[in-house]
């Protein structure tokens, strides 16, 4: 549960939005040349990052427009909202210090003894 | 030195009662990792522990380690709503989950550990004509697969679960239900503890508070892992990391078709026995049962975005509670006691991946999504077979990662009892 700053409507609750998944996945330019594995990669495989992830959101219960969001999936902190068509910004944010570790602040999983403060 | 654990029995209970329960031996050891193992299982949840257990028991591989970032059973094994059933639509899923259900039926005896498996029945309620058609289709599919399933009409639903609201005037009236009587619940922690104890007794090292930070590969073959407790070598590594599978996969460039999302559940204050079965509804998205402690155990849906934060939105909880209250108006004044989230790894076809990879000696068991608990023993059974023989068991052969290239998906979205 978090707030998203819609570039067109302003800050609203996440429940008004629909997440369109990973951003910057390009449709293959030469579909007929792709192997089955390449199609599978395009259709199904996702980065599913723990840390800063770039994703598409739609203000489905508002202006119904699409935009991109840089969000830290370990903390749900939104770092940047930018337009569709723009390339991903370079943001590192409060990434977990180890691949599966928990961020120092903002994690819902403080019960983990790992990196517990 | 490894001493064989003493058997639990009424006599050991009396004996330990006489010494004020101060002399029970630990259920498993906490060893330091060795330099090298024959196999390493990454992830000490139910599926990882059963994998280790069946590697030792069925395949004679006892020099193995289970590596767990937190403590065993502290992830989704301890966060699910403990429902066990096998009434899946497709043959491939039905075979896998039914195999698991048969293992559940003998589990407490086999492990000498009471997992409180209770075959109290699972009822899947239909609220629309479409639900009725879908559930009847599944009922017939189950019968053809020799899985017990019955169709109940509204009156029979009321008879089986008297507190359910069968008024025709509610927004989503009860039009009928499927019932699997062999389905039920179990104590989720006990499953992790029982398998940990069983695996430990056969010599498996369970290493907790140890995070895997990298996987070492030489010449296309795994050689070991880097952890917060140093390098551990092994030629066979099985990854059973649930929500963190993609994180582990990215260490070696393996892309997985997973999205990790929060799935929430909550329990109420404990009350006297009121509901002696499990009621699930796909359409209004609620499932509820009562634990042996008396708490109502309520499962919610997943949030619509990826997150590793182990908490979700309150709107999801509100939706679920409103559905539960419509079906069971007498729960409307119950107080909720605890509420939590777990991170589930969801596959595009809502079926798991239990598979070899293009890296020799590296295996993945993931994608169980919102319904992995019921498969715990079966998942370990087939994954242990896959690791030991470097070939899938016939039950998990349809669940390879290659199905996303071949198109042979096992599409259980909606066909499973609850769509997320």
């Amino acid at each position: 549960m978090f707030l998203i700053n819609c570039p067109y409507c302003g800050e609203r609750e996440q429940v008004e939005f629909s997440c369109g998944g990973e951003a910057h996945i390009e449709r293959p330019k030469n579909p007929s040349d792709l192997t089955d594995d390449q199609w599978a990669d395009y259709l199904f495989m996702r980065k599913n990052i723990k840390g800063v992830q770039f994703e598409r959101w739609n203000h489905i219960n508002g202006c119904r427009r699409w935009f991109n969001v840089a969000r830290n999936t370990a903390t749900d902190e939104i770092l940047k909202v930018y337009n569709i068509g723009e390339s991903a910004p370079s943001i590192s944010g409060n990434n977990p210090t180890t691949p599966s570790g928990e961020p120092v602040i903002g994690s819902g999983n403080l019960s983990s003894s790992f990196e517990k403060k | 030195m490894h001493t064989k654990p003493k058997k639990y029995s009424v006599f050991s209970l009396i004996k330990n009662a006489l010494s004020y329960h101060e002399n029970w031996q630990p259920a498993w050891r906490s060893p330091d990792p060795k330099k090298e193992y024959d196999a390493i299982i990454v992830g000490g949840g139910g599926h990882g522990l059963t994998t280790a257990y069946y590697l030792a028991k069925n395949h004679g591989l006892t020099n193995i380690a289970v590596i767990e970032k937190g403590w065993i059973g502290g992830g989704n094994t301890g966060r699910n709503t403990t429902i066990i059933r096998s009434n899946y639509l497709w043959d491939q899923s039905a075979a896998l989950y039914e195999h698991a259900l048969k293992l559940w039926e003998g589990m407490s005896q086999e492990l000498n550990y009471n997992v409180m498996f209770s075959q109290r029945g699972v009822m899947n309620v239909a609220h629309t004509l479409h639900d009725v058609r879908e559930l009847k289709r599944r009922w017939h599919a189950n019968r053809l697969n020799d899985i017990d399933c019955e169709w109940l009409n509204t009156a029979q639903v009321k008879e089986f679960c008297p507190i359910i609201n069968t008024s025709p005037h509610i927004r989503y009236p009860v039009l009928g239900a499927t019932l699997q009587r062999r389905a039920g619940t179990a104590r989720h922690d006990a499953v992790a503890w029982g398998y940990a104890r069983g695996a430990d007794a056969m010599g498996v090292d369970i290493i907790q508070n140890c995070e895997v930070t990298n996987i070492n590969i030489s010449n296309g073959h795994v050689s070991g892992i880097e952890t917060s407790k140093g390098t551990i070598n092994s030629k066979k590594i099985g990854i059973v990391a649930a929500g963190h599978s993609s994180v582990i996969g990215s260490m070696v460039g393996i892309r997985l078709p997973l999205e990790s999302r929060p799935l929430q559940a909550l329990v109420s204050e404990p009350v006297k026995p009121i509901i002696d079965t499990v009621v699930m509804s796909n359409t209004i998205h609620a499932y509820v049962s009562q634990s042996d402690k008396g708490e109502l155990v309520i499962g919610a849906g997943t949030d619509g975005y990826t997150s590793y934060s182990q908490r979700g939105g309150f709107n999801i909880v509100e939706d679920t509670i409103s559905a539960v209250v419509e079906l069971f108006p007498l729960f409307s004044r119950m107080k909720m006691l605890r509420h939590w989230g777990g991170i589930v790894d969801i596959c595009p076809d809502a079926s798991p991946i239990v598979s070899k990879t293009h890296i020799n000696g590296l295996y993945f068991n993931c994608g169980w999504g919102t319904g992995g608990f019921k498969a715990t023993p079966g998942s370990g059974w087939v994954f242990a077979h896959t690791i030991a023989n470097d070939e899938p068991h016939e039950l998990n052969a349809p669940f390879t990662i290659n199905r996303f290239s071949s198109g042979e998906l096992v599409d259980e979205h909606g066909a499973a009892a609850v769509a997320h």
Side-chain angles (χ1 to χ4, degrees):
Chain A
M1 174 154 255
F2 43 84
L3 298 172
I4 299 175
N5 195 2
C6 172
Y8 309 102
C9 309
E11 202 166 64
R12 303 291 173 87
E13 281 187 24
Q14 174 266 319
V15 67
E16 287 190 19
F17 298 83
S18 173
C19 185
E22 188 180 320
H24 309 300
I25 298 174
E26 268 186 53
R27 187 176 168 79
K29 291 194 173 63
N30 46 349
S32 53
D33 299 342
L34 259 56
T35 64
D36 289 350
D37 284 343
Q38 285 169 320
W39 268 119
D41 195 78
Y42 164 69
L43 284 172
F44 298 120
M45 303 303 165
R46 295 293 177 262
K47 289 180 185 159
N48 197 23
I49 292 165
K50 181 168 191 175
V52 178
Q53 169 167 285
F54 304 108
E55 52 198 17
R56 300 174 304 162
W57 284 80
N58 184 357
H59 194 183
I60 193 105
N61 293 321
C63 62
R64 303 183 66 190
R65 294 176 77 171
W66 286 94
F67 53 93
N68 288 324
V69 169
R71 184 171 58 94
N72 187 339
T73 59
T75 60
D76 288 339
E77 178 188 13
I78 292 182
L79 302 158
K80 188 167 179 167
V81 176
Y82 59 103
N83 289 328
I84 290 283
E86 281 181 37
S87 51
S90 62
I91 294 177
S92 61
N94 172 27
N95 270 337
T97 50
T98 55
S100 308
E102 300 302 330
V104 181
I105 51 163
S107 168
N109 186 25
L110 289 176
S111 56
S112 169
S113 64
F114 206 75
E115 283 192 27
K116 193 171 180 179
K117 282 196 99 179
Chain B
M1 188 58 206
H2 186 213
T3 53
K4 214 166 165 55
K6 297 185 180 80
K7 212 166 152 32
Y8 294 145
S9 68
V10 67
F11 304 108
S12 72
L13 186 65
I14 294 166
K15 187 175 157 228
N16 282 284
L18 295 174
S19 57
Y20 303 99
H21 296 295
E22 285 172 353
N23 297 319
W24 288 101
Q25 69 178 140
W28 59 84
R29 300 159 295 136
S30 293
D32 288 325
K34 293 185 214 165
K35 289 255 177 315
E36 181 156 8
Y37 289 95
D38 293 339
I40 293 174
I41 308 300
V42 177
H47 291 224
L49 292 164
T50 52
T51 304
Y53 179 87
Y54 290 118
L55 269 174
K57 181 164 183 255
N58 295 355
H59 305 283
L61 232 62
T62 54
N63 182 31
I64 56 182
V66 176
I67 309 290
E68 165 58 42
K69 181 187 86 161
W71 65 86
I72 61 163
N76 294 346
T77 302
R79 291 165 190 267
N80 60 77
T81 48
T82 79
I83 297 167
I84 296 156
R85 58 185 178 83
S86 64
N87 55 352
Y88 277 69
L89 176 68
W90 299 110
D91 294 351
Q92 301 94 317
S93 324
L96 184 60
Y97 289 102
E98 177 62 14
H99 177 249
L101 180 54
K102 286 185 175 135
L103 290 171
W104 279 107
E105 287 173 332
M107 189 186 291
S108 291
Q109 287 297 325
E110 164 156 3
L111 296 177
N112 177 229
Y113 204 99
N114 186 5
V115 299
M116 297 163 76
F117 180 51
S118 159
Q119 291 177 296
R120 59 184 67 184
V122 169
M123 198 164 68
N124 294 112
V125 183
H127 302 279
T128 64
L129 195 56
H130 177 74
D131 279 358
V132 171
R133 288 181 184 140
E134 278 297 315
L135 285 176
K136 282 193 173 172
R137 180 191 182 201
R138 189 144 60 90
W139 163 42
H140 291 304
N142 290 162
R143 290 194 311 122
L144 292 171
N145 277 320
D146 266 348
I147 291 169
D148 74 302
C149 189
E150 295 164 40
W151 174 258
L152 305 182
N153 63 28
T154 308
Q156 290 167 319
V157 169
K158 185 77 179 169
E159 191 183 353
F160 185 70
C161 181
I163 60 168
I164 199 166
N165 181 8
T166 51
S167 159
H169 304 298
I170 60 176
R171 175 67 183 85
Y172 292 103
V174 175
L175 300 183
T178 59
L179 171 63
Q180 186 180 20
R181 289 186 194 272
R182 284 166 61 239
T185 60
R187 170 89 195 273
H188 49 9
D189 303 310
V191 178
W193 299 334
Y195 273 101
R197 178 169 170 266
D200 179 88
M202 289 185 281
V204 174
D205 281 357
I206 294 164
I207 296 153
Q208 304 182 77
N209 291 309
C210 179
E211 184 190 341
V212 174
T213 53
N214 209 352
I215 297 173
N216 299 327
I217 295 173
S218 56
N219 301 324
H221 203 294
V222 287
S223 59
I225 52 173
E226 299 296 329
T227 75
S228 54
K229 294 188 178 180
T231 307
I232 311 172
N233 294 321
S234 180
K235 295 266 185 287
K236 283 175 185 279
I237 296 172
I239 310 294
V240 203
H244 281 79
S245 298
S246 302
V247 175
I248 304 274
S250 70
M251 292 171 186
V252 287
I254 288 182
R255 274 162 66 77
L256 295 165
L258 301 175
E259 288 201 332
S260 297
R261 294 204 222 145
L263 175 64
Q264 299 178 84
L266 57 163
V267 296
S268 73
E269 58 189 336
V271 291
K272 286 188 176 177
I274 182 76
I275 178 167
D276 63 355
T277 185
V278 182
V279 177
M280 307 180 76
S281 164
N282 185 2
T283 297
I284 58 175
H285 208 296
Y287 37 109
V288 60
S289 62
Q290 191 173 19
S291 74
D292 290 358
K293 280 188 284 184
E295 304 154 327
L296 294 180
V297 182
I298 296 168
T302 52
D303 283 82
Y305 51 86
T306 61
S307 175
Y308 288 84
S309 66
Q310 291 193 323
R311 67 190 155 192
F314 286 118
N315 56 307
I316 305 281
V317 176
E318 188 180 357
D319 288 350
T320 299
I321 291 294
S322 56
V324 167
V325 168
E326 176 166 271
L327 269 188
F328 301 100
L330 83 170
F331 292 160
S332 64
R333 282 169 292 159
M334 298 235 344
K335 293 185 177 71
M336 292 299 140
L337 202 63
R338 287 176 287 123
H339 153 237
W340 64 91
I343 300 305
V344 295
D345 43 335
I346 298 180
C347 253
D349 59 353
S351 285
I353 298 166
V354 187
S355 179
K356 296 165 66 171
T357 64
H358 69 268
I359 298 168
N360 290 325
L362 185 65
Y363 309 88
F364 268 86
N365 182 354
C366 58
W368 290 92
T370 59
F373 177 70
K374 67 177 81 67
T376 301
S379 161
W381 183 286
V382 298
F383 196 45
H385 185 281
T386 308
I387 293 174
N389 300 307
D390 198 36
E391 277 302 321
H393 188 277
E394 60 175 343
L395 289 173
N396 68 312
F399 297 98
T400 61
I401 195 160
N402 293 333
R403 72 176 188 267
F404 295 96
S405 300
S406 70
E408 292 172 283
L409 303 182
V410 187
D411 188 2
E412 285 287 353
H413 268 302
V418 177
H420 285 278

